[in-house]
Amino acid sequence: MDASAAAPAGHPRRWVILGVLVISLLVVVLDNTILNVALRTIADPQHGLGATQSELEWAINSYTLVFAGLLFTAGILADRLGRRITLVTGLAIFALASLISSYADTANQLIAARALMGLGAAAVMPATLSIIANVFTPQERPRAIGIWAGAVGLGVAIGPIVGGLLLEHFWWGSVFLINVPVAIAGVILVLVLVPESKDPRPNRIDIPGVLLSIVGLTLLTYGVIEGGEAGFGDPRAWGTLAGAVVVLTSFVIWELRTEFPSLDVRLFRNRTFAASTGMIGLVFFAAMGAMFFGAFYLQLVRGYGPLASGALFVPFAVGQLFFAPRSAAMVKRFGPKVVSTVGLLLVALGLAVWLFIGQDTPIWLVGAAFFIMGAGMANVMPPATESIMAALPREKAGVGSAVSNTIRQLGGALGVAVLGAVLSSVYRDNLGTATDGLPAGAADAARESISGAYGVAEQAGAAAPALISQANAAFLDAMHYASIGSMVFALLGALVALIWLPGKRPASAPKPTNSEGLAEEQGVELVEA
């Protein structure tokens, strides 16, 4: 089918196609939110894999790093090879990796399988957005993209509940196995309903840039996690971090010189663009770190099961689902500077609540903290994304979307790594003499993380109550320090928004439109399926 022929009314099956694309995106988003409630079970040596805290961090970050590192390249491959075939391939890889994850025998196997899942997710996300740009007219496209983006909030909302239900009735691997039938159904529906499309003028793939970015980000994350485990004075920590600086500097230099960069770093010379992307990274850094320590607090210190703890994450999603549709009107009335600053201050407020949460705090306060964070993020992401798009020429709209998604993933990965390192370090320092008298192996496991302490306590007999009490106290101290770290980054984001984001646009000023630019960036040539 020719693009010009489809332009007046869009593809005749466009709304059905959108439903298929939402299913494809939902399975990717759902997986990460399900994992939050499964962390405690995976850490259990009897019912899970006995994963350490650093291994749990890597189970999250191996997925995120591969996803973020390959997002640009996957988009270029989709333009070159075809968006439908790329989407089908991504879903197939995601299903295979989910199957491998569900039957992993060791934490390292799970980490490797999660990295493979990140590869599949990287192929899914840009392909879905590109297909939307092809099958919808410019007039309908904003609504379609809004529905597409709403799938993220839906995934955040139902993921913890689904994960909790599965863990209540099945083994830990079921949280990954559930992805397989959904992904297979997505493959069948995409092949039947979605037309193929390609970019007639695709860019070349920046292989050196992709490799440098993945290596640099992996070294950075490994160095942060290792610093939390062994101390930042350890050569493996500071040496790896120094190597990360060298590789990432080389990446920037290469991207400035190559003709077809995977990430055009010159875009960051634009103050509004740089501020908006930085704000997105900072807010996800703060929020994802809080999700990480919140999962352990609920399931260990408070003793909630997977389903109950999953339900307590839902207010975060409710805050987003309720306030996100209203953020555009708020931006129109007050401008992106005010809305984003207030949103980030709300995130900081929600994180500040964690400073007052202890072992016996009324549980509604935890739900309230998550709700405030969700409401704040709902007023950060839309104006930040709008500012990114407004700061770029129309033909760069697709690049802006890719940068936003990449920075979001990297911010979340570093939040888990850095705040997880703070959690580990303070926990060990505050554990005191609780492990005295235990065998060396058991003492090391208890000092590793609160999950290890609970595992040791099951075999410690009369010494168990004292160990649990000390471990809980040490973890709460560590959680409060991590909360302070999260809050500082949210406040830093608010400062960035206040200083560099644009204010309210005068009523007489024309609003830039980028929907045509999105189609130009991603190509509009349709090939009959």
Side-chain angles (χ1 to χ4, degrees), residues 427-438 443 446-447 463 466-467 470-471 474:
Y427 169 81
R428 281 196 306 273
D429 290 344
N430 290 358
L431 195 56
T433 60
T435 58
D436 291 355
L438 293 175
R447 283 193 295 268
L467 175 60
Q470 193 74 19

Side-chain angles (χ1 to χ4, degrees), residues 322-419:
F322 183 79
F323 287 101
R326 294 160 176 78
S327 64
M330 299 297 289
V331 170
K332 184 177 180 180
R333 183 174 180 181
F334 299 107
K337 180 195 293 286
V338 171
V339 175
S340 297
T341 302
V342 171
L344 281 154
L345 289 175
L346 283 173
V347 173
L349 176 62
L351 292 165
V353 173
W354 283 92
L355 295 173
F356 304 97
I357 291 176
Q359 188 165 349
D360 301 315
T361 301
I363 201 62
W364 66 263
L365 197 60
V366 174
F370 278 132
F371 179 81
I372 293 170
M373 289 170 57
M377 288 191 71
N379 286 287
V380 171
M381 296 305 297
T385 304
E386 168 64 20
S387 294
I388 288 173
M389 297 306 178
L392 297 173
R394 292 187 305 170
E395 65 273 12
K396 293 291 186 181
V399 175
S401 175
V403 169
S404 174
N405 281 319
T406 301
I407 295 298
R408 181 179 65 190
Q409 295 293 328
L410 294 180
L414 290 176
V416 171
V418 172
L419 297 175

Side-chain angles (χ1 to χ4, degrees), residues 231-306:
F232 287 95
D234 188 283
R236 287 179 299 178
W238 64 259
T240 305
L241 290 172
V245 171
V246 172
V247 174
L248 291 174
T249 301
S250 301
F251 168 76
V252 172
I253 294 172
W254 171 261
E255 295 301 284
L256 287 170
R257 294 183 177 181
T258 188
E259 184 180 0
F260 297 102
S262 58
L263 172 60
D264 188 355
V265 295
R266 296 178 184 85
L267 292 172
F268 290 93
R269 294 174 181 171
N270 183 304
R271 188 178 69 174
T272 302
F273 180 90
S276 300
T277 52
M279 194 171 66
I280 289 172
L282 288 168
V283 74
F284 269 86
F285 182 105
M288 294 305 103
M291 291 283 191
F292 183 74
F293 64 67
F296 287 99
Y297 167 79
L298 292 171
Q299 294 193 36
L300 290 172
V301 177
R302 299 304 295 261
Y304 286 101

Side-chain angles (χ1 to χ4, degrees), residues 10-54:
H11 195 281
R13 296 194 304 263
R14 59 194 180 279
W15 294 107
V16 177
I17 291 171
L18 179 61
V20 175
L21 299 178
V22 165
I23 292 172
S24 302
L25 179 65
L26 192 60
V27 71
V28 172
V29 177
L30 197 66
D31 172 75
N32 248 5
T33 56
I34 283 179
L35 182 59
N36 279 328
V37 298
L39 292 174
R40 163 70 181 99
T41 308
I42 295 173
D44 190 296
Q46 292 185 341
H47 302 102
L49 299 175
T52 65
Q53 183 163 304
S54 62

